[in-house]
Amino acid sequence: MTRTSATGSTSLPSLPHWETVPDDLPTAIRTMKLALQARIAASGRTVEEVFAAIEARVGAEVADIAAAKARGETVWPVIDYADIAAGTVSAEQLAYLRRRGCLVVRGHFDRDAAVAWDRDIVDYVESNRFFENYQGPGDDFFGSVGSKPEIYPIYWSRAQMQARQSDRMATVQAFLNHQWRYESDGVQWFDPDRDSLYPDRIRRRPEGANSNGLGTHLDPGTLDLWMTQAYQQAFRHLFDGTVEQYDPWDASHRTAGPQYPGSTMCSAFRTFQGWTALSDMDHDQGVLHTVPIPEAMGYLMLRPLLSDVPDDDMCGVTVNRVFPASQQWHSSLLEGLTGIPDVKAGDSVWWHCDMIHSVAAVRDQKGWGNVMYIPAAPWCPRNEAYASSVREAFITGSSPSDFPDENYERSWPNRFHFDDLNAVGRRSLGVDD
Ligand SMILES: [Fe+2]
């Protein structure tokens, strides 16, 4: 543990920080909470006052979402790809995108192209006898051999790479990256016009499927969000009495700091998580939901400091487990949970990297539920560092280092090859500057 005074105003008490996972977590959590509480108190406000300010801000949005639903309106912003490409997205649409922190891009790809990609993926895995060789979930020791997965640990198909390096993807990623504030204090925190290729998996959930979905959670980190110096600076306004200035779109100090390792970690800084639909999906067929309020992160960060939470508990957040949003601690936020509207193959879906999300359960699913996970991950020191291991995984056909070490594609001859990279692909892997 080290103490620092680099977290904003020098007149406030400094915060301890741990740049690697503390050995004694309960003690570190207790120490951290006392220090954060003392820092807020020294600003002249109480923790309760600061929390009430963010609670009111978020509560107004929860009420607005409920009212929109009652009027039968679609809560998720929807923007046509054609308007993004032409630069004709209205100021009103932009404001709503930033207010809700999520987006459906209609017609991001032609429907026929997306359906053809879906077929290509089936050909790719079948031609390489993937289902016969599938060993079960890579992170589940007792995984059942031979069962057909819904999440395919496949990264290097032509379909995925063609989508990742397409001009249409780059256009939408740049549009989304530009919603953030990426320059401050003379630092450019990331390059909004250049993405780093973040290889992720695909999901193909068949007709008739039953799925329990995924509970409400978020993916930006775990205890490192409170305990590392870079995140303490990123979330400085929450802890120095200036909570009203907290801006979920400010990238300051978010793109270079360390992260605590864990089975669910993402090495990249993503402005938005996202996926591209490879089948049509109706809104009631086990789809993605978010709490479409980017400021809710302030609530999640401050909630553990209130007196009703045990001293060594961060509302259930701990290392090596996904960050939960729970009825116990966050019930008023969860009232805002809102699903995507119906989407067609070729539409894409995006949500701010700090936002609570879940996947609804489904019984006897109508139609397929197929997606390629492709986020927006702009070029920055963190993503440049990860790009070198991504390049290596790409060249050898291996699983990327953020994912289980399954490596199904190493011997597959028809995976996407280095010579198939275009200019966007080469830059996104750091092959070219
Ligand atoms: Fe997630």
Side-chain angles (χ1 to χ4, degrees):
M1 175 176 80
T2 339
R3 287 206 166 246
T4 176
S5 58
T7 41
S9 168
T10 47
S11 62
L12 295 178
S14 61
L15 294 175
H17 61 95
W18 292 260
E19 300 305 294
T20 55
V21 179
D23 295 329
D24 180 351
L25 273 183
T27 301
I29 290 172
R30 272 193 293 271
T31 306
M32 191 72 246
K33 286 172 72 161
L34 284 171
L36 290 168
Q37 287 158 341
R39 187 172 168 86
I40 291 170
S43 76
R45 305 176 76 175
T46 66
V47 171
E48 287 73 20
E49 268 175 60
V50 168
F51 182 74
I54 201 95
E55 191 178 31
R57 195 165 148 190
V58 171
E61 297 302 328
V62 171
D64 187 75
I65 290 163
K69 286 179 182 170
R71 292 192 300 268
E73 294 172 11
T74 300
V75 172
W76 272 66
V78 178
I79 296 178
D80 288 337
Y81 172 78
D83 284 329
I84 295 172
T88 52
V89 179
S90 70
E92 193 184 359
Q93 284 175 302
L94 281 176
Y96 193 57
L97 160 59
R98 287 158 67 118
R99 186 168 176 195
R100 289 286 153 261
C102 54
L103 178 66
V104 173
V105 177
R106 286 274 182 237
H108 188 170
F109 296 98
D110 289 341
R111 188 171 178 282
D112 291 348
V115 169
W117 276 337
D118 191 49
R119 215 167 31 237
D120 280 358
I121 289 167
V122 173
D123 290 346
Y124 179 61
V125 297
E126 286 187 346
S127 67
N128 291 294
R129 301 179 57 81
F130 169 65
F131 297 121
E132 290 85 337
N133 294 321
Y134 181 62
Q135 298 292 306
D139 35 19
D140 176 4
F141 186 75
F142 298 103
S144 45
V145 177
S147 67
K148 254 193 178 183
E150 288 179 359
I151 303 282
Y152 296 10
I154 299 302
Y155 306 90
W156 308 116
S157 68
R158 298 185 59 83
Q160 285 162 291
M161 287 298 288
Q162 283 169 357
R164 290 170 187 149
Q165 69 170 3
S166 70
D167 288 340
R168 282 177 170 254
M169 185 55 73
T171 298
V172 170
Q173 287 166 330
F175 170 75
L176 293 167
N177 293 337
H178 274 276
Q179 303 314 311
W180 283 67
R181 189 146 64 89
Y182 50 86
E183 277 179 348
S184 62
D185 304 326
V187 179
Q188 181 169 351
W189 301 99
F190 66 74
D191 178 353
D193 296 311
R194 176 185 184 183
D195 245 67
S196 59
L197 190 150
Y198 187 79
D200 203 329
R201 302 175 284 195
I202 51 188
R203 188 195 73 187
R204 298 189 79 254
R205 208 169 60 200
E207 289 185 283
N210 296 317
S211 168
N212 293 328
L214 259 185
T216 45
H217 70 280
L218 48 157
D219 295 318
T222 58
L223 292 178
D224 41 2
L225 299 169
W226 289 272
M227 290 187 170
T228 64
Q229 195 170 14
Y231 279 123
Q232 288 171 1
Q233 290 174 305
F235 293 115
R236 61 200 175 282
H237 292 299
L238 301 176
F239 305 128
D240 70 359
T242 59
V243 65
E244 287 77 8
Q245 292 172 48
Y246 166 63
D247 175 7
W249 300 99
D250 179 1
S252 309
H253 305 285
R254 296 198 60 152
T255 57
Q259 291 178 290
Y260 291 172
S263 54
T264 58
M265 85 175 288
C266 173
S267 296
F269 167 71
R270 298 177 285 196
T271 53
F272 284 79
Q273 295 183 249
W275 48 256
T276 301
L278 298 180
S279 66
D280 301 344
M281 283 171 272
D282 286 345
H283 67 279
D284 55 358
Q285 297 301 308
V287 298
L288 179 83
H289 286 55
T290 61
V291 175
I293 307 170
E295 292 84 357
M297 190 60 178
Y299 184 117
L300 291 155
M301 294 296 293
L302 286 165
R303 185 68 185 83
L305 305 184
L306 295 187
S307 59
D308 60 337
V309 184
D311 290 347
D312 59 355
D313 184 356
M314 296 304 272
C315 297
V317 181
T318 189
V319 293
N320 249 321
R321 266 189 53 195
V322 72
F323 187 138
S326 68
Q327 284 295 345
Q328 182 182 8
W329 302 117
H330 314 112
S331 59
S332 61
L333 294 180
L334 299 184
E335 288 169 25
L337 195 67
T338 305
I340 58 169
D342 295 349
V343 294
K344 297 287 182 203
D347 294 345
S348 61
V349 170
W350 304 87
W351 64 102
H352 184 294
C353 59
D354 288 347
M355 268 182 5
I356 299 167
H357 55 284
S358 66
V359 180
V362 63
R363 290 283 166 268
D364 191 17
Q365 180 179 282
K366 308 287 177 290
W368 284 77
N370 302 349
V371 309
M372 284 193 274
Y373 298 102
I374 304 178
W379 201 258
C380 62
R382 177 181 290 177
N383 295 354
E384 183 172 2
Y386 188 58
S388 66
S389 78
V390 170
R391 264 195 314 276
E392 184 66 29
F394 166 57
I395 288 165
T396 58
S398 306
S399 300
S401 57
D402 271 359
F403 295 90
D405 213 9
E406 293 164 290
N407 306 313
Y408 286 105
E409 297 167 86
R410 278 184 184 163
S411 61
W412 295 9
N414 50 347
R415 67 173 194 262
F416 189 90
H417 289 291
F418 190 90
D419 291 344
D420 303 323
L421 290 172
N422 66 14
V424 173
R426 291 173 68 89
R427 281 193 94 211
S428 70
L429 287 165
V431 175
D432 295 340
D433 281 337

